[in-house]
Amino acid sequence: MATIAVGMMQRALDEAAVYALQREQFGKPIFEFQMVQDMLARMSAKIVASRALVEHTMRLVDEEQDVQKDGAITKQFVTDVLQEVVSDAVQVMGGGNGYTKEYPVEKIMRDAKVFQIMEGTNQIQSIVIARRLKKEYAARL
Ligand SMILES: Cc1cc2nc3c(=O)[nH]c(=O)nc-3n(C[C@H](O)[C@H](O)[C@H](O)COP(=O)(O)OP(=O)(O)OC[C@H]3O[C@@H](n4cnc5c(N)ncnc54)[C@H](O)[C@@H]3O)c2cc1C
């Protein structure tokens, strides 16, 4: 789920950044506006962080380590961040082109929602994480 989510975020950023270079308002591409740059920059940072988290957990899988907690953290964190990134992609593209079906980000935003629900809702991931935390901290007593 998290791996697919990272791909969806990247596509959302690709669409929004290219659009921002082409869409002109007030005589210049909207990419030139610092608040648009802020959204694109934060989207990019969230993608880098999410990808790094997925790579971390996949490394644990390769090493045949227990990934119950890290897997739950990764699924929950990355799919929550996905909502923010795709929502900002729609925001950058505005109502006419972001929210409508003319461009793919509307579909990506709609598809993204189910990633918080499928394969264990993100609330259930919290239960898995908290169970592990309890065990880890109880072992220290
Ligand atoms: C597009 C799609 C594809 C799917 N594909 C599959 C599939 O291939 N195989 C499969 O088996 N299932 C699949 N599902 C089902 C999916 O796994 C369930 O929707 C998911 O587990 C949530 O169950 P539910 O919908 O019954 O919601 P509920 O269990 O009724 O949960 C509703 C809400 O209550 C919360 N909640 C429930 N119990 C607790 C609790 N104990 N503590 C805290 N919060 C709680 C949930 O987090 C959620 O927010 C799919 C669902 C969708 C939408």
Side-chain angles (χ1 to χ4, degrees):
M1 290 295 104
T3 306
I4 298 168
V6 170
M8 291 169 75
M9 287 184 213
Q10 185 64 59
R11 175 76 191 276
L13 174 61
D14 292 349
E15 293 289 336
V18 167
Y19 180 86
L21 286 171
Q22 293 171 336
R23 170 73 169 172
E24 291 198 3
Q25 286 291 38
F26 304 98
K28 52 184 172 183
I30 61 167
F31 205 118
E32 299 304 319
F33 297 121
Q34 288 185 339
M35 275 181 274
V36 172
Q37 291 177 2
D38 179 62
M39 280 193 280
L40 294 171
R42 288 173 191 271
M43 289 162 73
S44 180
K46 286 170 184 174
I47 295 167
V48 170
S50 297
R51 187 174 284 125
L53 184 54
V54 170
E55 284 171 359
H56 155 78
T57 303
M58 289 297 109
R59 200 171 305 117
L60 294 182
V61 171
D62 285 346
E63 291 167 2
E64 298 184 358
Q65 293 193 42
D66 179 4
V67 289
Q68 202 167 45
K69 188 178 85 179
D70 293 70
I73 288 171
T74 305
K75 191 273 180 182
Q76 182 190 62
F77 182 87
V78 174
T79 60
D80 282 351
V81 166
L82 173 65
Q83 311 304 312
E84 299 168 12
V85 172
V86 297
S87 176
D88 279 350
V90 171
Q91 192 71 21
V92 167
M93 295 178 68
N97 295 320
Y99 194 71
T100 65
K101 292 185 176 174
E102 296 298 312
Y103 287 81
V105 290
E106 174 272 343
K107 181 180 187 303
I108 299 171
M109 184 170 73
R110 199 155 28 89
D111 289 346
K113 181 59 203 169
V114 85
F115 281 72
Q116 291 182 308
I117 298 169
M118 281 195 302
E119 299 293 342
T121 67
N122 285 3
Q123 288 72 36
I124 298 301
Q125 303 302 333
S126 281
I127 294 173
V128 173
I129 297 161
R131 249 185 224 148
R132 280 297 163 127
L133 285 176
K134 189 178 167 192
K135 208 170 158 187
E136 286 169 17
Y137 282 97
R140 292 191 193 182
L141 297 176

